[in-house]
Amino acid sequence: MPPLTNGQGALSPRAIPEAAVARLAVYLRVLSGMKEQGITTVSSEELSVAAGVNSAKLRKDLSYIGTYGTRGVGYEVEVLIDQIERVLGLTREQSVAVVGIGNLGHALANYGGFPGRGFPVTALFDVDPDLMGVPVGGIPVNHIDDIASVCAAKEITIGVIATPPAAAQVVCDRLVQAGVECILNFAPVVLQVPETVEVRKVDLAVELQILSFHQARRADSAPSGETAPQPRSNGRVNGSPRHSVENRPNGAVVRR
Amino acid sequence: MPPLTNGQGALSPRAIPEAAVARLAVYLRVLSGMKEQGITTVSSEELSVAAGVNSAKLRKDLSYIGTYGTRGVGYEVEVLIDQIERVLGLTREQSVAVVGIGNLGHALANYGGFPGRGFPVTALFDVDPDLMGVPVGGIPVNHIDDIASVCAAKEITIGVIATPPAAAQVVCDRLVQAGVECILNFAPVVLQVPETVEVRKVDLAVELQILSFHQARRADSAPSGETAPQPRSNGRVNGSPRHSVENRPNGAVVRR
DNA sequence: GCGACTTTGTGCCTGCGTTCACAAGCGGCT
DNA sequence: AGCCGCTTGTGAACGCAGGCACAAAGTCGC
């Protein structure tokens, strides 16, 4: 591979693949759990099992952020935590605003400290006048018309859209105008944003439909009893007792 | 590539890539919206713009489910809807159970009819005795110990885990024992399941951390004013009025 | 102090997913 | 009836991500 001219300029950190970033977040959580248990050192094998990935992949992911392992020993849990937090930008806290205080908005507002802290929800918005002032999860609800001033005052960097679909694009536009460049969208809508803005979406219906697809597949390939709730012999037929775990496309783990 | 021996047997439908399945769900939603607007025919270009993807990718995705387009014309909206629903297994309704009736559980229980229907939440579970019997979103809450019998009676095919992290694995095991083979996990935990079970996870913290990562990146590459809330000239400087839209890794769309 | 063992970091290969580009096919216009 | 233009469907190229396997490097025991 030639010296990696990643377009970005020259001194850009390293260009970490998106997929690796997502996994780093998972590693971070697992590591936090280990730290609480008093574990100070971990090998790539152990960590990979706990995170449900291949150990080679894990090592490659970690190599993107630097060289912090000790050969023959493993990684120091705290060092890894610090470094991943650094790369993910968790050193400076990001303030989160939630727009749309329905059921989901409530849930998000009460989420409070996330595991491993770092994302305080500090502003809530809605259009319903009845909600104004009433604090939800300790945070007062503001009217969406005040979004610009409130976001500026509270230095909001992440906006969460939890509105009905019809309102999502308008809300998104307002967030962008207020200077928010990171948006997490729960509304089942394809948002249009300027290219400076980063959007991630969480789409419940899509997730369920994907599950439905696999369910249908299963039903097709084994057309016998359908929902017949067999007592589940469940096998646990342990053929090869080597690695008790195997990777899954989605990061879940197969228990054998 | 040899004639594609996909292990699955022989008569398996086609082997649709996972990524394509996720997009099909999005197309379905967009198409439903179009149908409501009275649109009967759509070209791959139009649909791809609405769905925020490349038109070639859209056509390839659709080609996985069959050949339903008319060259020189486009696709018939209704036909496409029917076919995508068929492939995603939405013809037979899937009953959903939600476990963990906290804030998120409430939100999910009230989600009710999803856009394009198909996923009725018909059972709720929790450990808290105070919740028993009290209906949430019209559905009574059952104790988690009754999970097997209730799931069997209501023919639950999809289980949603909305519990605290510590309880997630136990709940998952119980769902699996009850015969549920599709699980949507909101708890920040890597679940272990038998290989017959399909798990998808929605991880709020990970999503936020990915956004944080990009935010950090941005701040690094442009180290001037930081959160300085510039009034945002925001341009909307529409230089080239050709395609007003461009693809984004995440399915969001860039407005120019 | 040295050797053997353990574990990291990574080069290379393989496979999947995305994109391009074009031939095939269909409708409408003349 | 024949031609023209539009749109689909897909073969082929490309690039990225995943996984294997091994050399490098460090520790522990003797």
Side-chain angles (χ1 to χ4, degrees):
Chain A
M1 191 188 289
L4 179 59
T5 55
N6 65 356
Q8 188 70 279
L11 58 151
S12 76
R14 186 73 64 130
I16 306 175
E18 183 86 4
V21 174
R23 285 189 299 266
L24 283 172
V26 175
Y27 305 154
L28 177 58
R29 184 172 53 232
V30 174
L31 286 164
S32 298
M34 288 178 168
K35 183 181 174 185
E36 279 178 22
Q37 289 176 38
I39 300 174
T40 58
T41 298
V42 67
S43 73
S44 65
E45 183 64 30
E46 294 167 321
L47 184 52
S48 70
V49 169
V53 301
N54 180 298
S55 72
K57 195 193 294 184
L58 179 131
R59 288 198 298 275
K60 186 158 285 188
D61 288 343
L62 291 182
S63 78
Y64 290 126
I65 67 173
T67 299
Y68 301 106
T70 305
R71 297 173 188 231
V73 179
Y75 302 89
E76 221 173 310
V77 173
E78 275 203 59
V79 172
L80 233 40
I81 289 175
D82 289 347
Q83 293 305 323
I84 295 177
E85 285 185 343
R86 174 184 58 81
V87 170
L88 294 184
L90 303 180
T91 45
R92 45 177 166 303
E93 281 203 341
Q94 312 270 2
S95 295
V96 177
V98 176
V99 185
I101 311 303
N103 284 301
L104 181 56
H106 265 85
L108 294 169
N110 285 306
Y111 221 64
F114 285 82
R117 105 217 78 93
F119 295 98
V121 176
T122 58
L124 304 177
F125 298 98
D126 205 303
V127 283
D128 186 348
D130 294 348
L131 290 171
M132 298 309 121
V134 184
V136 175
I139 308 137
V141 179
N142 293 104
H143 194 276
I144 197 169
D145 289 342
D146 301 330
I147 204 167
S149 58
V150 174
C151 283
K154 302 205 173 177
E155 296 190 340
I156 298 295
T157 52
I158 297 178
V160 178
I161 298 177
T163 66
Q169 183 63 59
V170 177
V171 166
C172 176
D173 289 343
R174 293 218 191 175
L175 281 169
V176 171
Q177 271 172 19
V180 175
E181 289 182 311
C182 295
I183 292 177
L184 182 55
N185 177 32
F186 284 87
V189 172
V190 179
L191 290 180
Q192 323 241 123
V193 296
E195 58 189 6
T196 53
V197 176
E198 183 77 23
V199 175
R200 295 198 58 90
K201 71 162 191 258
V202 173
D203 193 324
L204 224 23
V206 169
E207 296 299 328
L208 288 175
Q209 286 169 358
I210 293 171
L211 286 174
S212 170
F213 168 77
H214 289 291
Q215 179 72 16
R217 269 292 247 255
R218 222 185 324 257
D220 286 351
S221 59
S224 53
E226 193 175 339
T227 333
Q230 303 163 335
R232 250 172 165 286
S233 63
N234 189 12
R236 202 70 51 105
V237 187
N238 221 320
S240 59
R242 311 204 52 227
H243 291 160
S244 62
V245 148
E246 176 184 299
N247 319 65
R248 229 36 190 320
N250 189 37
V253 160
V254 176
R255 181 189 291 169
R256 283 244 167 93
Chain B
M1 193 188 290
L4 179 59
T5 54
N6 67 354
Q8 189 71 278
L11 57 153
S12 76
R14 188 73 64 125
I16 305 176
E18 183 85 6
V21 174
R23 285 190 298 266
L24 283 171
V26 175
Y27 305 155
L28 177 58
R29 185 172 54 231
V30 173
L31 286 164
S32 298
M34 287 178 169
K35 183 182 174 185
E36 279 178 22
Q37 290 177 36
I39 300 173
T40 58
T41 300
V42 67
S43 72
S44 64
E45 182 63 30
E46 294 166 321
L47 184 51
S48 70
V49 169
V53 302
N54 179 298
S55 72
K57 194 193 293 186
L58 179 131
R59 288 197 299 275
K60 182 149 284 188
D61 287 344
L62 292 182
S63 77
Y64 290 125
I65 68 173
T67 301
Y68 302 105
T70 305
R71 296 171 189 234
V73 179
Y75 302 89
E76 221 172 309
V77 173
E78 276 204 56
V79 173
L80 234 40
I81 290 175
D82 289 347
Q83 293 304 324
I84 295 178
E85 285 186 343
R86 175 182 59 80
V87 170
L88 293 184
L90 303 180
T91 45
R92 43 178 168 304
E93 280 202 342
Q94 313 268 3
S95 294
V96 177
V98 175
V99 185
I101 312 303
N103 284 303
L104 181 57
H106 266 86
L108 294 170
N110 286 305
Y111 220 65
F114 284 82
R117 104 219 79 95
F119 295 97
V121 176
T122 56
L124 303 177
F125 298 98
D126 205 304
V127 283
D128 187 349
D130 294 346
L131 290 171
M132 299 307 123
V134 184
V136 174
I139 307 137
V141 179
N142 294 103
H143 193 275
I144 198 169
D145 289 342
D146 302 329
I147 203 167
S149 58
V150 174
C151 284
K154 303 207 171 175
E155 296 190 338
I156 298 295
T157 53
I158 297 178
V160 178
I161 298 177
T163 66
Q169 183 62 58
V170 177
V171 165
C172 176
D173 290 344
R174 293 217 193 177
L175 281 169
V176 171
Q177 272 172 19
V180 176
E181 289 181 311
C182 295
I183 292 177
L184 182 55
N185 177 33
F186 284 87
V189 172
V190 179
L191 291 179
Q192 322 242 124
V193 296
E195 59 188 5
T196 54
V197 176
E198 183 76 22
V199 174
R200 293 199 58 90
K201 72 161 191 262
V202 173
D203 194 324
L204 226 21
V206 169
E207 296 298 328
L208 288 175
Q209 286 169 359
I210 294 172
L211 285 174
S212 171
F213 168 76
H214 289 291
Q215 178 74 15
R217 269 292 248 254
R218 220 184 326 256
D220 285 352
S221 59
S224 52
E226 193 176 339
T227 334
Q230 304 163 332
R232 246 95 217 321
S233 62
N234 188 13
R236 201 66 54 100
V237 186
N238 221 320
S240 60
R242 309 205 52 227
H243 291 161
S244 61
V245 148
E246 176 183 301
N247 317 63
R248 228 38 187 322
N250 189 35
V253 159
V254 176
R255 182 188 291 170
R256 281 244 166 93

